[in-house]
């Protein structure tokens, strides 16, 4: 229930600590009027040493995936998390950003984990459903990207 740009004085210390610890910061997205990706752009630009993870591909209650993809294209320190997103938006995201900038999320138990994984699995299928995304890139989506962000081992 807050607009990030209006409480920036409270968020900035968290971002500074995240930069020191080299950990990403996730922001809930897709709940207007609070969860618009463009509301974070000033902080993204001022904190290039922090990785911003935009939860739900900005699609939880209202689909703002196009805005999330745009913001991520303009800010290399942004990763999109996949819970709640539908297949066409994931395809657009992978094509616009590459597999390294998207990370699996399920929002479990609200969403069933298998249904969220299935959206990523079908990316390997032939068109028109899939985009022939190679297995290695799907593995990035499934967990390798998040493991890298959290500095977990292979």
């Amino acid at each position: 229930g807050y607009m990030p740009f209006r409480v920036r004085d409270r968020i900035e210390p968290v971002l500074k600590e995240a930069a020191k610890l080299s950990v990403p910061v996730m922001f809930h997205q897709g709940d207007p009027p609070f969860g618009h990706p463009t509301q974070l752009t000033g902080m993204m630009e001022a904190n290039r040493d922090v990785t911003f993870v935009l939860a739900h591909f900005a699609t939880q209650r209202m689909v703002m995936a196009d805005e999330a993809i745009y913001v991520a294209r303009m800010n290399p320190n942004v990763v999109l998390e996949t819970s709640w997103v539908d297949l066409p938006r994931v395809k657009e995201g992978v094509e616009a950003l590459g597999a390294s900038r998207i990370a699996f999320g399920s929002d479990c138990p609200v969403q069933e984990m298998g249904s969220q994984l299935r959206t990523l699995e079908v990316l390997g299928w032939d068109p028109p459903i899939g985009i022939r995304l190679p297995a290695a890139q799907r593995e990035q989506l499934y967990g390798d990207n998040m493991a890298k962000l959290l500095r977990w081992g292979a």
Side-chain angles (χ1 to χ4, degrees):
Y2 69 91
M3 292 183 171
F5 64 92
R6 289 193 178 157
V7 293
R8 191 165 173 172
D9 61 320
R10 290 185 245 164
I11 295 174
E12 286 292 341
V14 174
L15 297 175
K16 298 299 178 208
E17 192 64 24
K20 281 189 224 172
L21 297 171
S22 297
V23 296
V25 177
M26 181 180 276
F27 284 84
H28 178 80
Q29 297 286 279
D31 275 318
F34 313 109
H36 289 264
T38 54
Q39 293 173 338
L40 300 170
T41 56
M43 286 181 269
M44 292 169 181
E45 292 165 359
N47 295 279
R48 290 291 188 203
D49 52 347
V50 175
T51 299
F52 288 72
V53 179
L54 302 185
H56 316 306
F57 233 86
T59 63
Q60 189 161 25
R61 295 200 193 280
M62 183 174 171
V63 176
M64 292 181 266
D66 56 343
E67 184 177 323
I69 293 166
Y70 174 78
V71 166
R73 285 179 62 152
M74 299 299 111
N75 296 281
N77 55 330
V78 174
V79 171
L80 303 180
E81 179 268 329
T82 64
S83 64
W84 291 90
V85 71
D86 60 10
L87 182 60
R89 302 300 76 82
V90 174
K91 288 171 60 169
E92 289 172 14
V94 169
E95 290 169 352
L97 304 169
S100 65
R101 304 269 307 280
I102 297 170
F104 171 73
S106 67
D107 211 20
C108 187
V110 178
Q111 290 279 39
E112 193 277 318
M113 191 177 295
S115 68
Q116 303 301 293
L117 282 167
R118 182 66 164 189
T119 302
L120 302 182
E121 176 189 355
V122 301
L123 293 173
W125 296 4
D126 290 337
I129 297 172
I131 57 172
R132 291 189 188 107
L133 191 68
Q137 290 181 27
R138 290 194 312 275
E139 287 298 319
Q140 285 181 283
L141 301 177
Y142 293 145
D144 291 351
N145 291 338
M146 189 58 72
K148 184 177 177 183
L149 283 175
L150 298 174
R151 297 181 300 155
W152 293 349

